């Protein structure tokens, strides 16, 4: 599969990327595109191309599968991300983690700020860091501002797991990976997670692995 020429205009590069077929390839940690930060979206993609790109993000996110995907994760340095979470988890997990279903959303130029001082710590993973998870303490509630794909203003408070998702994806647009915020001693393979730490909260992992929860 070819790689779009980084020197070409952004719209041209996105068109080349989409022409290579779906789902798109997800960039893995270690690629500089995940660390440079993304430029604000200001019409760099005309509406039809933007719609194609958003649909490509949706298809790629679902195919992975994941609950969010940011443009830099497919090599495009624009402040655009998508989220969607059917929340197919047991009721106890849903209740403890505040994991409510989220319909498909497009976040354009998002930014967030904490609402209150409460923090929540749970294991978190990333499509760009496959095979691993770690505990991240994040604000339990955030105010997210930005726009949708049609330019309509977004100003909404998210709590629970949806708050974690929008923070994770917005961080990608700032060149931040979840590992930058994680408790390093909590780093666990997906297999270890499934065998040992799949409880609704990471309290047992914290005791066994030697890290503190907020």
């Amino acid at each position: 599969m070819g790689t779009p020429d980084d020197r070409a205009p952004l719209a041209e590069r996105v068109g080349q990327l989409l022409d290579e077929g779906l789902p798109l390839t997800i960039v893995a940690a270690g690629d500089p595109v995940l660390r440079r930060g993304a430029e604000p979206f200001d019409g760099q993609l005309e509406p039809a191309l933007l719609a194609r790109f958003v649909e490509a993000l949706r298809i790629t996110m679902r195919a992975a599968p994941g609950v969010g995907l940011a443009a830099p994760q497919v090599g495009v340095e624009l402040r655009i991300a998508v989220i969607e979470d059917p929340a197919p988890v047991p009721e106890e997990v849903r209740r403890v983690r505040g994991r409510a279903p989220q319909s498909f959303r497009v976040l354009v130029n998002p930014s967030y700020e904490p609402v209150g001082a409460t923090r929540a710590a749970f294991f978190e993973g990333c499509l760009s860091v496959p095979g691993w998870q770690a505990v991240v303490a994040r604000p339990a509630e955030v105010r997210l501002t930005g726009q949708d794909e049609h330019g309509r203003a977004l100003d909404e408070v998210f709590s629970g797991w949806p708050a974690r998702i929008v923070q994770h994806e917005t961080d990608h647009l700032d060149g931040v990976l979840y590992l930058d915020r994680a408790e390093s001693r909590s780093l666990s393979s997906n297999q270890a997670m499934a065998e040992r730490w799949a409880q609704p909260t990471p309290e047992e992992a914290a005791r066994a692995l030697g890290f503190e929860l907020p």
Side-chain angles (χ1 to χ4, degrees):
M1 183 176 69
T3 301
D5 186 347
D6 286 341
R7 296 167 297 180
L10 183 59
E12 181 180 333
R13 289 194 285 119
V14 170
Q16 292 173 5
L17 186 68
L18 298 178
D19 288 344
E20 290 174 354
L22 300 174
L24 303 175
T25 298
I26 296 176
V27 174
D31 191 310
V33 72
L34 294 173
R35 292 306 198 173
R36 287 195 288 258
E39 65 180 80
F41 178 74
D42 187 24
Q44 295 93 331
L45 309 182
E46 55 89 23
L49 183 58
L50 175 61
R52 285 182 63 204
F53 181 58
V54 165
E55 181 62 14
L57 289 176
R58 185 207 306 243
I59 290 170
T60 304
M61 174 182 62
R62 289 179 173 177
V67 296
L69 188 67
Q73 291 182 274
V74 296
V76 176
E77 294 166 285
L78 280 176
R79 292 189 69 84
I80 298 174
V82 297
I83 64 172
E84 182 180 47
D85 184 14
V89 294
E91 179 58 32
E92 182 184 12
V93 173
R94 187 192 305 265
R95 176 178 52 79
V96 171
R97 300 182 185 177
R99 189 166 177 182
Q102 295 293 300
S103 59
F104 180 76
R105 303 276 297 272
V106 181
L107 311 179
V108 177
N109 299 330
S111 62
Y112 67 83
E113 58 183 23
V115 176
T118 303
R119 294 172 66 80
F122 291 104
F123 275 98
E124 192 171 315
C126 179
L127 298 178
S128 290
V129 190
W132 299 91
Q133 298 183 48
V135 172
V136 184
R138 294 187 181 272
E141 191 171 48
V142 295
R143 179 186 179 192
L144 188 80
T145 56
Q147 300 87 41
D148 67 10
E149 69 273 34
H150 304 295
R152 295 177 295 219
L154 170 67
D155 187 342
E156 187 172 339
V157 173
F158 289 82
S159 60
W161 207 259
R164 182 169 299 269
I165 294 172
V166 299
Q167 289 174 78
H168 181 113
E169 299 309 327
T170 302
D171 280 355
H172 270 303
L173 305 180
D174 294 326
V176 175
L177 295 179
Y178 85 98
L179 290 174
D180 300 334
R181 305 190 186 280
E183 295 288 344
S184 60
R185 293 180 69 99
S186 72
L187 185 65
S188 303
S189 68
N190 284 348
Q191 181 176 347
M193 270 292 301
E195 293 176 353
R196 295 175 179 270
W197 315 128
Q199 299 87 6
T201 73
E203 291 181 0
E204 289 187 24
R207 287 194 293 269
L209 300 178
F211 61 92
E212 293 186 1
L213 296 174

